[in-house]
């Protein structure tokens, strides 16, 4: 019985890999029950593990599925598959990871991240056809971003002069709160744009206290915009006293990141 099991095990190990993966586990189990030596069983189990890892890599490559590839490569490394065999698979995984990152960046309309990922794509020598497709999509996003920036800048020019504070302090008037709601709505279309919030104090305030008031005013506006759902990075800056009466106490400027 043992000799028959050993012969069956030998035949199973010598089969092509598709049959091997399908049939070898049952043959190994039968051989173990028949008393086949542990070294022979271990060798067969290793052969099965390698064949299974190769098959899973092939399936993952055919599916072009990133998560399947990650699992398959991990399994292949555990059974010590040749690095030469895994090199093109790792390259495909990198391509799929870049593709996934690009899709997220396009969805977020994050031009800076798109630029960085496209530079990596080109440097790695991935599909030129796909690269051209990405670049066309980026042109569309840049056009939309520019239009949104222009709308946001128009809103800033129109609304900033209406932001005022009570007396010489940093408390916003109720009407100013309503104005900031409109500004927050305009900024939502350009979430990846840096917003500089420049605060000014009244002309008649002493330099010693005026700088603090200017900063407090800028912070009050930045904090209110955040509370209203603004996702931009906001940097409040104290500028100093107004150069002339009637000028805005708060000035916002946009810088794409």
């Amino acid at each position: 019985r043992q000799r028959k099991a050993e012969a069956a095990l030998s035949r199973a190990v010598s089969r092509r890999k598709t049959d091997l993966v399908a049939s070898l586990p049952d043959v190994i189990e039968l051989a173990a029950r028949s008393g086949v030596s542990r070294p022979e069983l271990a060798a067969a189990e290793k052969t099965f593990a390698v064949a299974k890892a190769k098959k899973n890599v092939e399936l993952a490559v055919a599916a072009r599925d990133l998560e399947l590839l990650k699992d398959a490569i991990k399994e292949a490394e555990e059974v010590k598959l040749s690095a030469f065999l895994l090199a093109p698979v790792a390259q495909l995984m990198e391509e799929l990871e870049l593709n996934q990152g690009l899709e997220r960046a396009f969805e977020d309309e994050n031009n800076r991240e798109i630029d960085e990922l496209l530079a990596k794509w080109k440097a790695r020598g991935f599909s030129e056809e796909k690269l051209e497709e990405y670049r066309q999509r980026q042109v569309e996003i840049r056009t939309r971003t520019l239009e949104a920036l222009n709308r946001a800048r128009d809103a800033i020019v129109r609304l900033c002069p209406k932001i005022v504070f009570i007396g010489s302090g940093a408390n916003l008037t109720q009407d100013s709160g309503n104005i900031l709601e409109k500004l927050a709505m305009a900024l939502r279309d350009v979430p990846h744009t840096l917003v500089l919030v420049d605060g000014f104090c009244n002309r008649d305030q002493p330099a010693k206290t005026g700088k603090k008031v200017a900063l407090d005013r800028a912070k009050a506006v930045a904090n209110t915009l955040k509370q209203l759902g603004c996702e931009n990075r906001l940097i409040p800056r104290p500028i100093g006293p107004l150069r002339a009466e009637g000028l805005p106490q708060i000035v916002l400027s946009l810088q794409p990141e």
Side-chain angles (χ1 to χ4, degrees):
R1 181 181 177 185
Q2 180 179 339
R3 284 197 298 272
K4 287 182 179 180
E6 289 173 350
L9 187 61
S10 177
R11 287 194 302 273
V13 168
S14 65
R15 287 177 183 171
R16 59 190 180 92
K17 56 189 174 186
T18 50
D19 290 336
L20 184 65
V21 173
S23 62
L24 192 52
D26 292 338
V27 177
I28 291 174
E29 183 180 352
L30 177 62
R33 292 202 305 267
S34 302
V36 173
S37 68
R38 186 61 218 169
E40 287 186 67
L41 288 174
E45 288 167 351
K46 182 178 180 181
T47 299
F48 169 72
V50 169
K52 178 172 172 287
K54 287 181 178 178
K55 184 175 182 180
N56 286 339
V57 166
E58 290 170 359
L59 292 172
V61 168
R64 293 182 66 86
D65 184 288
L66 182 57
E67 295 307 315
L68 285 179
L69 271 173
K70 288 179 180 179
D71 292 341
I73 287 178
K74 182 179 178 182
E75 181 183 8
E77 289 173 343
E78 288 174 352
V79 299
K80 296 181 171 55
L81 272 188
S82 163
F84 176 78
L85 292 176
L86 289 180
V89 183
Q91 185 177 21
L92 174 60
M93 186 172 75
E94 184 181 0
E95 179 183 345
L96 293 177
E97 285 176 332
L98 273 177
N99 178 76
Q100 188 180 77
L102 278 161
E103 290 301 330
R104 282 196 302 265
F106 279 120
E107 185 178 348
D108 293 341
E109 298 198 350
N110 188 333
N111 283 295
R112 181 182 58 79
E113 188 172 356
I114 291 171
D115 281 336
E116 292 175 357
L117 293 173
L118 287 183
K120 289 181 181 179
W121 186 280
K122 184 177 180 179
R124 296 294 290 122
F126 295 142
S127 168
E128 284 289 335
E129 182 180 351
K130 194 71 174 176
L131 178 61
E132 184 58 30
E133 177 189 324
Y134 284 140
R135 283 174 171 163
Q136 290 298 323
R137 290 172 65 184
Q138 187 182 31
V139 168
E140 296 172 5
I141 287 177
R142 281 179 170 163
T143 300
R144 287 200 299 271
T145 300
L146 181 59
E147 291 171 352
L149 275 171
N150 288 335
R151 289 195 301 271
R153 287 182 174 127
D154 288 344
I156 287 171
V157 170
R158 187 177 68 256
L159 297 173
C160 274
K162 300 178 182 180
I163 301 172
V164 294
F165 298 85
I166 299 172
S168 59
N171 293 320
L172 289 158
T173 64
Q174 185 174 350
D175 287 344
S176 295
N178 297 332
I179 294 300
L180 287 175
E181 285 186 19
K182 296 177 182 179
L183 270 176
M185 289 182 63
L187 291 172
R188 283 173 194 159
D189 292 334
V190 286
H192 303 294
T193 302
L194 171 67
V195 181
L196 301 177
V197 185
D198 293 340
F200 295 84
C201 61
N202 296 352
R203 293 187 69 195
D204 57 356
Q205 287 183 287
K208 187 174 182 180
T209 58
K211 198 81 167 178
K212 182 179 184 307
V213 170
L215 178 59
D216 289 344
R217 286 179 171 182
K219 285 181 176 178
V221 169
N223 291 337
T224 301
L225 288 172
K226 280 293 183 186
Q227 291 167 8
L228 292 169
C230 182
E231 297 179 359
N232 304 71
R233 190 159 65 98
L234 300 159
I235 300 181
R237 305 189 303 180
I239 303 302
L242 292 168
R243 294 182 180 179
E245 293 298 336
L247 292 177
Q249 297 174 330
I250 289 291
V251 175
L252 271 60
S253 54
L254 305 180
Q255 294 185 3
E257 294 195 277

